[in-house]
Amino acid sequence: DDLTKVEGIGPKINELLNAAGIYSFENLANAPVAKLRAILEDAGSRFQMHDPSTWSQQSRIAASGDWDKLEALQDRLNGGRS
């Protein structure tokens, strides 16, 4: 899946997630926020500012294919943050 469809994930973070074994919206939806934070922390200061707290919710919607619902949620988010 193209994880960059999740607000807050760009190409570089997508690469980090893939390297950690997270390739699909379902993988991302089921990943604990603590694990996602650890991936970002380990990647260095450039990535530590990102907040993965809404990635699971966004990923669940994306996995279901409800793109209108995902867009509505993302309209309420600010850089992936609620």
Side-chain angles (χ1 to χ4, degrees):
D1 292 325
D2 180 4
L3 301 180
T4 63
K5 293 191 180 297
V6 172
E7 189 169 327
I9 297 179
K12 294 292 182 186
I13 292 178
N14 186 58
E15 289 176 19
L16 293 173
L17 295 172
N18 289 172
I22 299 171
Y23 297 99
S24 69
F25 294 126
E26 187 174 329
N27 294 152
L28 184 55
N30 293 320
V33 172
K35 177 180 179 177
L36 300 174
R37 288 189 200 284
I39 292 167
L40 296 171
E41 281 283 320
D42 292 346
S45 61
R46 179 175 169 206
F47 299 100
Q48 293 169 357
M49 71 177 110
H50 295 276
D51 180 2
S53 62
T54 67
W55 295 357
S56 175
Q57 180 184 13
Q58 292 182 67
S59 295
R60 281 189 212 301
I61 296 168
S64 75
D66 192 343
W67 302 110
D68 291 335
K69 185 175 180 180
L70 179 60
E71 185 177 345
L73 171 62
Q74 290 175 338
D75 285 345
R76 295 189 310 267
L77 299 176
N78 180 17
R81 297 180 178 131
S82 51

